[in-house]
């Protein structure tokens, strides 16, 4: 009897952690909970309100760029759905004589850096990604096929986990984590595992029926890479199509 009793104790000692792990995995893979959290976040941001144009004006800071150090620029980003973007980035107002403009129109992308006009695969990829994600959380809700919950958000050097809820989704093989404020429903952070980038979203302001982060900080590989400090964000201003045609180089 003693030997049988000992085996039972060993079995229970092994089974209890296994059952706990399975229960945790079941919670983690509970799609409705994770998706519902992101749907709540999208609604809190007012992403269900349609728009045609979005115009953002403010300051862009590129931190510790190789060979140049930290660069500050006056920054304007104009988006016109479904397929037009223009970015003006003027460093000449500060410490460096750079002026850059990036365009994307109908699938074609090009740039003007000072007086040089051209095309680049990197510019095309970045502008395409910007257009795809212009609807924020709503884009991930429609584009992702897998959602999962994570029970707790750990503290780290960027944010305290208390008061945050975490949901994950999978987009084309890239796992994306969202930390959402439990009170407001607004995202506080987005983590992209594949690109090793972290977006901290702060200083939310009410623009009509929408909630918009006016301070966005981007970390790449653990280091602060970019910062956007918006001074104004407006929707549905009239922007002529000609704005997105400027300086287009001849077709290749």
């Amino acid at each position: 009897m003693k030997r049988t009793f000992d085996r039972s104790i060993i079995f229970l000692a092994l089974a209890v952690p296994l059952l706990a792990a399975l229960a945790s995995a079941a919670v983690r893979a509970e799609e409705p909970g994770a998706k519902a959290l992101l749907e709540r976040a999208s609604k809190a941001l007012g992403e269900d309100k349609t728009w045609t144009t979005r115009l953002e004006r403010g300051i862009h800071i590129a931190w510790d760029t190789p060979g140049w150090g930290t660069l500050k620029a006056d920054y304007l980003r104009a988006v016109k759905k479904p397929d037009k973007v223009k970015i003006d980035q003027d460093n000449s107002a500060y410490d460096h004589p750079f002026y850059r403009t990036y365009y994307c129109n109908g699938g074609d992308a090009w740039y003007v850096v000072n007086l040089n006009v051209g095309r680049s695969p990197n510019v095309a990829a970045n502008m395409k990604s910007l257009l795809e994600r212009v609807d924020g959380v709503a884009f991930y809700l429609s584009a992702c096929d897998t959602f999962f919950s994570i029970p707790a958000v750990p503290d780290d050097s960027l944010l305290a986990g208390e008061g945050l809820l975490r949901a994950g989704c999978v987009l084309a093989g890239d796992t994306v984590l969202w930390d959402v404020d439990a009170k407001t429903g607004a995202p506080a952070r987005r983590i992209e595992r594949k690109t090793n980038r972290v977006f901290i979203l702060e200083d939310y302001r009410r623009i009509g029926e929408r909630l918009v982060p006016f301070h966005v900080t981007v970390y790449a590989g653990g280091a602060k890479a970019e910062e956007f400090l918006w001074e104004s964000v407006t929707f549905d201003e009239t922007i002529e199509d000609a704005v997105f045609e400027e300086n287009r180089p001849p077709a290749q």
Side-chain angles (χ1 to χ4, degrees):
M1 292 294 293
K2 184 177 185 300
R3 185 174 299 171
T4 302
F5 178 72
D6 289 344
R7 288 176 178 175
S8 298
I9 292 176
I10 293 171
F11 173 77
L12 288 173
L14 294 173
V16 170
L18 177 60
L19 290 172
L22 290 173
S24 176
V27 171
R28 181 183 176 87
E30 185 184 350
E31 293 189 14
K35 194 168 186 179
L37 178 62
L38 294 180
E39 287 171 343
R40 180 193 171 207
S42 181
K43 186 175 181 179
L45 297 176
E47 292 178 347
D48 56 327
K49 311 299 185 297
T50 60
W51 54 271
T52 302
T53 67
R54 176 170 177 154
L55 193 60
E56 298 160 304
R57 299 178 178 90
I59 301 295
H60 174 264
I61 302 172
W63 292 95
D64 299 323
T65 61
W68 294 103
T70 297
L71 300 174
K72 187 176 181 181
D74 289 332
Y75 199 88
L76 182 148
R77 183 163 63 198
V79 179
K80 187 172 184 177
K81 288 186 175 181
D83 58 3
K84 296 175 175 58
V85 185
K86 177 184 175 181
I87 295 175
D88 271 330
Q89 188 172 328
D90 185 5
N91 296 96
S92 67
Y94 300 94
D95 298 329
H96 294 82
F98 300 144
Y99 187 90
R100 314 176 207 185
T101 310
Y102 303 94
Y103 300 87
C104 186
N105 190 345
D108 186 18
W110 64 97
Y111 63 83
V112 180
V113 177
N114 293 340
L115 297 177
N116 299 310
V117 181
R119 289 184 173 88
S120 158
N122 286 338
V123 168
N126 290 337
M127 299 297 269
K128 179 183 177 182
S129 177
L130 191 160
L131 268 174
E132 285 179 344
R133 291 160 174 75
V134 73
D135 286 322
V137 180
F139 162 75
Y140 292 87
L141 283 167
S142 64
C144 294
D145 55 8
T146 302
F147 300 85
F148 58 90
S149 298
I150 297 177
V153 181
D155 294 337
D156 57 36
S157 60
L158 299 179
L159 292 176
E162 185 177 358
L164 297 176
L165 303 173
R166 177 169 285 186
C169 57
V170 179
L171 174 67
D174 184 10
T175 298
V176 180
L177 303 179
W178 294 87
D179 292 336
V180 178
D181 189 294
K183 290 184 178 179
T184 66
R189 171 166 51 189
R190 184 174 83 246
I191 302 170
E192 298 177 353
R193 293 296 196 196
K194 188 174 182 180
T195 62
N196 199 20
R197 294 193 302 171
V198 177
F199 297 76
I200 302 296
L201 312 169
E202 303 173 289
D203 189 18
Y204 276 92
R205 303 182 195 178
R206 182 68 60 182
I207 308 295
E209 297 180 280
R210 301 178 179 89
L211 200 59
V212 178
F214 271 61
H215 184 188
V216 179
T217 307
V218 185
Y219 291 81
K224 185 158 66 171
E226 291 184 276
E227 205 160 354
F228 298 87
L229 299 160
W230 301 123
E231 296 169 356
S232 68
V233 179
T234 59
F235 295 87
D236 294 322
E237 284 192 27
T238 299
I239 307 177
E240 299 297 333
D241 287 349
V243 168
F244 304 96
E245 277 292 322
E246 299 164 346
N247 303 304
R248 189 198 287 256
Q252 294 179 335

